[in-house]
Structure formats: structure tokens, C-alpha cells
Amino acid sequence: KSELNWPIGDKGPLDFTQSWIALGIRWDVQWHLLDAVFYVKEKRITVPFADSRLALNILEKISAVMNAGFKDKRLQSTPHTILLDRDWYHKELKPLLAHWVLLFLRSKKLPPLQDRYLLSYLTNGPVADPVAASAVKVALDDEYMKLVNLSHDLLRTFMPHLLGKIDRVSFGLLSPNDLKLGLESDPNMPRSRRISAIPFVGKDVPSRASQFSHPDVIIGLTILGYRYEGLRKTDFSILMTELRETWETEFGLPHKRPSALKFASWIKLAGGKVRGPVKNFDTDYESKKTDE
């Protein structure tokens, strides 16, 4: 039940899902790129670069260019950010996004390589600048080369494609009611269709069976779908259950475990705060350890 895609054989992990560089890096790089787009209106980021002056400087430049794009009708601001002029994107926005994704690449301990070569490769590809392409290929091993190539493809092809889509019109997530009706008509609905973005055939009218075929399109539109529409109740329940189960397997003070810190960061991003004094939390935990 995939659009223009007829998979054969056993299912296997998506390429570059697991890498010694990082787990889930194929998702992380898209989240990082799209976070810069959301910064323009939200004035906050969810990626770990909030304390970087260089990152904030790049984000402010991206904001200035995008705000000018809204004014000049290169971008549309309602119902959300929509790209109207791809030539403008490649000339004005893509070079700044290349600087932004370079921060992500550097955070993954990229081998020593001059920024000018990487930026040229990210924006122009391997053909337009043979000198930069040669320098990149010599400096990077296969895994890093794959990451840089993925970043180039995202900047050149997928970002303008994703930003040109309209949520709940050309793509979106199944609403709780759509999900209920879909499961009634097809109890064996694929899990990917339940949790990922799917094509829409009209305003609030999801396609009955089709799915996007390219994995990077699915990843990008799914990220946009959740950030535009938010989590459904079922998504929230699954997420909190998995976070609690992970927290129980971790060691250390309860509020300092990675899962607890992640939960606290989510609450902070939502504008709230975690209740309970830390001192009492520590005392209770130490008392429990002594009793045991």
C-alpha cells in the first residue's frame, strides 16, 4: 500500500539508521535543518546549540532573510511557512542553511577539513567545484561521506520540496477520528501509516491507502506534521510509557537520569517547569538507598 513503491522481500533497517557516528542520524539532520525554519517565528530552538553564539548568529541571519522573503512574497506565512520561489531559496536561503547544517556536522566530530570546502560541497555538490569535492573525499571516510552527501541532498532537493507542502492539504497526520475510521475499515493498517505523514487529496482529506515512497520525504514531512499539528493523545501515551520504561533501566539520582532530564527539557520548552524541590528529591532517594 505504498504510492509508486512495491517493496519485495523481508523488511530491513533503513540505510544510515544505525551508524557509529550516532543512532538515528538520518532523522537528526533533518530535525536540525527544520529547527532553523521554526526559529523564525518561535525564537527558540530544540537542538543543543542554544548556548552557541555562532549558532544564534546564523539563526538571526536566516530569520532576516526569511522575513524579507515573507515581505517580497517569496515565502507564505499562513497557515505556516510555505516556500513559493525555489530560485530564491537556492540563492538566498540555502547558503545560510549550509552554515547551519555545518554546525551539526562539526558536532559529530567531523575530521579536520576547511569550512570553505565543506560549504562549497554542501551548496554546489561534487560536480560544480571539483577542488572542494576532492578535498572532501580525501578527508572523510565512508560514513562521514554518506552524512555529507545526505546533507547536500537535503539542502538541494528535499528542503525546498518539503517547505513547499501545505499541512492538512497536501500531507498530514491521521487525526484520531481518521485513525479510528481507518482501523475499522482495515484492522491491518500498516504502523507506518498510523504514525507517519501521509498524502492528502484535499483539505483535511487523507488519501485512503497511499503513502510517500521516499524515506527522506517521509521523515521530513512527519517532522513537519508533528510540529504543526502536535502530538495526538495516543502518541503522547506511547511516548511517556517508553520514556518511563527507559528511566527505570537507568542509574543514578532519579531526577538526574537522562530520561528525567529529557522530560524536564520538554516541559521547559513547553513553557512549564517540573514541580518538586530538588533537595527533598535527593534526600528521599538517598533514604531509599539506605533502607535497601
Side-chain angles (χ1 to χ4, degrees):
K1 295 185 178 181
S2 297
E3 187 177 47
L4 301 179
N5 186 28
W6 294 272
I8 299 175
D10 297 333
K11 289 185 178 180
L14 181 64
D15 185 40
F16 216 38
T17 299
Q18 297 179 346
S19 170
W20 61 263
I21 300 175
L23 294 177
I25 198 168
R26 192 162 184 168
W27 283 260
D28 290 344
V29 65
Q30 285 215 51
W31 185 280
H32 179 86
L33 272 169
L34 291 170
D35 214 33
V37 176
F38 284 95
Y39 175 84
V40 178
K41 290 186 176 181
E42 297 178 359
K43 292 302 177 184
R44 65 178 186 180
I45 54 175
T46 61
V47 293
F49 292 95
D51 296 329
S52 170
R53 286 188 177 183
L54 177 59
L56 295 177
N57 184 41
I58 295 171
L59 289 170
E60 288 301 325
K61 290 180 180 179
I62 291 173
S63 296
V65 168
M66 290 186 64
N67 285 327
F70 289 127
K71 185 177 180 181
D72 297 337
K73 308 301 181 184
R74 311 291 186 177
L75 294 168
Q76 179 177 313
S77 60
T78 55
H80 52 75
T81 300
I82 302 168
L83 178 64
L84 303 177
D85 188 339
R86 291 198 177 197
D87 291 336
W88 173 86
Y89 165 85
H90 287 289
K91 182 180 179 181
E92 301 292 340
L93 187 56
K94 185 172 73 172
L96 292 174
L97 289 176
H99 281 83
W100 175 242
V101 80
L102 181 60
L103 288 178
F104 176 84
L105 298 177
R106 291 297 187 195
S107 71
K108 301 306 176 184
K109 300 180 180 179
L110 202 69
L113 181 62
Q114 292 185 38
D115 285 355
R116 62 189 181 97
Y117 291 136
L118 276 170
L119 290 171
S120 177
Y121 191 94
L122 288 170
T123 54
N124 303 316
V127 177
D129 189 346
V131 176
S134 177
V136 170
K137 291 177 181 178
V138 169
L140 305 183
D141 62 19
D142 289 346
E143 287 293 285
Y144 280 119
M145 197 70 224
K146 191 182 294 186
L147 177 58
V148 171
N149 281 329
L150 173 62
S151 301
H152 163 68
D153 289 342
L154 290 173
L155 288 171
R156 181 178 181 273
T157 304
F158 293 105
M159 281 294 287
H161 176 73
L162 298 174
L163 294 178
K165 297 286 187 179
I166 304 175
D167 184 45
R168 308 299 303 174
V169 176
S170 53
F171 79 97
L173 303 171
L174 287 174
S175 67
N177 186 55
D178 291 332
L179 192 57
K180 179 181 178 182
L181 294 175
L183 289 172
E184 289 176 354
S185 61
D186 181 12
N188 297 318
M189 179 191 296
R191 186 168 182 265
S192 58
R193 182 174 170 81
R194 302 181 197 181
I195 64 176
S196 303
I198 62 171
F200 274 44
V201 296
K203 180 69 172 72
D204 294 323
V205 183
S207 172
R208 294 185 62 182
S210 63
Q211 295 176 248
F212 295 107
S213 59
H214 198 290
D216 291 311
V217 172
I218 297 173
I219 292 170
L221 291 180
T222 299
I223 291 172
L224 290 175
Y226 280 108
R227 295 203 66 168
Y228 290 144
E229 302 175 33
L231 292 175
R232 298 162 295 190
K233 188 175 181 179
T234 52
D235 302 322
F236 181 79
S237 177
I238 292 171
L239 183 63
M240 296 309 299
T241 299
E242 291 186 354
L243 189 67
R244 176 60 187 253
E245 290 175 352
T246 303
W247 177 84
E248 290 176 346
T249 65
E250 296 168 346
F251 298 95
L253 294 172
H255 69 286
K256 291 185 178 180
R257 296 177 188 178
S259 295
L261 296 175
K262 182 182 291 185
F263 175 74
S265 69
W266 291 347
I267 298 299
K268 183 179 180 180
L269 285 171
K273 61 181 181 179
V274 178
R275 294 179 59 187
V278 174
K279 181 179 290 187
N280 291 346
F281 204 166
D282 291 346
T283 303
D284 293 343
Y285 179 72
E286 293 299 330
S287 299
K288 184 179 178 181
K289 285 178 65 180
T290 302
D291 294 339
E292 292 176 350

